[in-house]
Amino acid sequence: MDYNKLAELMFPTITKTVEDYERIYPKRNLKEGAQVTRFAPSPTGFLHIGGLFASLISERIAHQTDGVFILRIEDTDKKREVENGVERILEGLKNFEIKIDEGFTDFDTCVGEYGPYKQRERAEIYQAFAKKMVSEGLAYPCFCTEEELTEIRNIQEEKKILPGYHGEFAKCRNLSLEQIEENIKKGLPYVVRMKSPGNPEKRISFKDAIRGNIEMPENIVDVVILKSDGIPTYHFAHVVDDYLMGTTVVIRGDEWISSAPIHLQMFYLLKLKAPKYAHIAPIMKEDEGGKRKISKRKDPEAAVTYYSEEGYPVEGVIEYLLNLANYTFEDFRRNNKTAHWSEFKLEMNKMSNSGGLFDLVKLNDVCKNKIASYTAEQVYDLAIAWAKEYDSELYSLLTRDKDFSVAMFNFDRNPDKPRKDIGKFNEVRNSFSFMFDELFDGKYEEIPNVDKAKQKEIIEIYKEIYDENADKDTWFATLKEVAVKVGFAAEVKEYKANPDAFGGHVGDVSTVIRVAVTGRTRTPDLWGILKTLGKNKSSDRMEKYIKELN
Ligand code: GLU
């Protein structure tokens, strides 16, 4: 058969050759060891937490080696595409501060010399590669109809034969040039299939950067490379794009492992060097005693928007994902308390084959530690940025008096042992509701060991001698003074040694004042609360509580 003639017949308008494209997209000039990675989402919905995980890993591997991280949009499947699909993905990546070097770096910005970065805009490029394969007898047109393919599938199912277009089932492999010419003239639709040289007896092996050696049967199926509208399948687009874009390591979900033999065969047929592969296991979740993938349908935490809405600090989420990727991140964090997460060196061979277990409790813990490590100013900035978007009432309360809010976030923020009360910014409202009259609900927790009359007495005395300018030690001395006046022990020790001699101790005095002012028996630093609320407000609250006691 004259394959060149066949190629011209099938692709009369494709004039650029593979060699032309190799000139247009020359090899990258990067330093030794620099890795080129990419995140290649299909715009089919929200950004999944697994997508953020994969892009974080790809971004790290690229930037740890002074390489390049690309965002490529795989929009070959129009049916599954959703409106604003690209924007949603970009927004997710931007919210989590994933730095993209090439491709879509922003909503309407696409940069880089290896584009277009949207596959539909690359149709001619794929066709040039397909044309080359046809001209070398490595690919052919297939005119089989849906019905014929279904029939093949049924026979294969019945006879328990490997499904797909191969061997005796690959009818169109044997069409003559004349038959093909006639079909094309008639306008019959066709796909282009790779002519697989695979041998069912043989196996291939490759080294996965995460999983080590993988051995699988060779591919024997003549897979489709171009669909009938000239748009490539995922398999072919992956091979062409990652070759021309100079990807050095393809980091992708492990659902693609089973297709790796097809991809390696395509690289082989095209005489191109295949990139390395790293197949990531999906993020798992505990469910009814077992493990399952985090599901788009069942789990709100599958969507990255969930973390933004809840107000998890970005750095906390990223650090949690790094933790999930490499358990050694925890040691790094312990030994480098103030280092930025990007100083951690991620290693693909330390990633789990079976999928890290996602745990919201652990995430919250990491985020609590993260927020505890910030200055009060930083917490303020992040809290108002969150509230501006998700809680407008809180936003106006927090920004009404910045000094007040910063002082509030500064309670117990001592560098050695900071208080860890909030893990996400939607907890600010509840954690600090007592600081704002608008949020203070006027409910009071019980104080079981001090009766109402005594509580009243404590507050009356305290109100008279409280000096809002007193430092913490002087203030505490005042509480002791009150304790003695009402017949309580000034020291807890003293009380414990002789409980019958006292009605309570200084700690009870502070509890009474705490509840009067905040409604709660447990709060951060009471001295700070009183000082920040100011004498007027504190006194008003105490008056109100006394009324409540009557
Ligand atoms: N578009 C493919 C997907 O979303 C990309 C897989 C890959 O990274 O190669 O699964």
Side-chain angles (χ1 to χ4, degrees), residues 38-42 72 74 80 119 234 238 242 250-253 255-256:
R38 85 295 187 280
F39 179 49
S42 306
R72 178 172 79 222
E74 305 214 326
R80 290 176 55 224
Q119 288 181 329
Y234 164 74
H238 147 55
D242 285 316
V250 169
I251 300 170
R252 62 184 180 186
E255 69 272 22
W256 294 110

Side-chain angles (χ1 to χ4, degrees), residues 514-548:
R514 193 184 302 275
V515 169
V517 175
T518 68
R520 306 183 187 193
T521 49
R522 294 159 65 101
T523 69
D525 170 27
L526 181 58
W527 171 75
I529 293 174
L530 290 165
K531 208 172 157 55
T532 308
L533 285 174
K535 181 142 188 160
N536 282 345
K537 181 150 292 176
S538 304
S539 303
D540 286 353
R541 294 256 178 104
M542 286 188 258
E543 302 271 354
K544 197 167 165 241
Y545 185 62
I546 288 175
K547 283 202 195 106
E548 193 81 12

Side-chain angles (χ1 to χ4, degrees), residues 148-210:
E148 285 170 299
L149 295 175
T150 311
E151 199 187 317
I152 293 177
R153 213 171 302 128
N154 291 341
I155 298 172
Q156 289 172 333
E157 247 168 50
E158 200 177 302
K159 295 193 176 165
K160 301 212 167 21
I161 300 175
L162 177 82
Y165 208 77
H166 59 84
E168 57 179 303
F169 302 99
K171 282 192 280 187
C172 293
R173 253 195 188 207
N174 307 317
L175 293 179
S176 67
L177 189 55
E178 292 68 40
Q179 281 168 306
I180 295 173
E181 216 167 352
E182 205 183 304
N183 285 350
I184 292 181
K185 268 204 197 114
K186 272 198 242 161
L188 293 187
Y190 64 88
V191 299
V192 183
R193 291 186 185 272
M194 155 174 93
K195 198 184 281 175
S196 169
N199 177 339
E201 309 293 318
K202 281 202 183 147
R203 296 174 74 78
I204 60 141
S205 70
F206 67 99
K207 189 164 184 278
D208 187 280
I210 294 173

Side-chain angles (χ1 to χ4, degrees), residues 166-290:
H166 59 84
E168 57 179 303
F169 302 99
K171 282 192 280 187
C172 293
R173 253 195 188 207
N174 307 317
L175 293 179
S176 67
L177 189 55
E178 292 68 40
Q179 281 168 306
I180 295 173
E181 216 167 352
E182 205 183 304
N183 285 350
I184 292 181
K185 268 204 197 114
K186 272 198 242 161
L188 293 187
Y190 64 88
V191 299
V192 183
R193 291 186 185 272
M194 155 174 93
K195 198 184 281 175
S196 169
N199 177 339
E201 309 293 318
K202 281 202 183 147
R203 296 174 74 78
I204 60 141
S205 70
F206 67 99
K207 189 164 184 278
D208 187 280
I210 294 173
R211 294 161 179 263
N213 272 336
I214 297 185
E215 214 195 90
M216 291 165 90
E218 260 187 22
N219 170 56
I220 59 163
V221 175
D222 287 358
V223 294
V224 175
I225 59 175
L226 291 182
K227 296 182 265 190
S228 56
D229 56 359
I231 295 297
T233 53
Y234 164 74
H235 305 305
F236 197 53
H238 147 55
V239 168
V240 172
D241 289 350
D242 285 316
Y243 168 62
L244 289 180
M245 292 182 185
T247 307
T248 60
V249 48
V250 169
I251 300 170
R252 62 184 180 186
D254 68 1
E255 69 272 22
W256 294 110
I257 291 186
S258 57
S259 311
I262 298 176
H263 305 151
L264 290 166
Q265 198 168 61
M266 285 181 182
F267 280 107
Y268 166 77
L269 290 178
L270 284 161
K271 298 189 195 65
L272 305 175
K273 184 170 178 280
K276 278 184 283 178
Y277 285 101
H279 288 100
I280 307 179
I283 296 179
M284 307 297 280
K285 169 173 176 147
E286 217 155 72
D287 191 19
E288 292 172 3

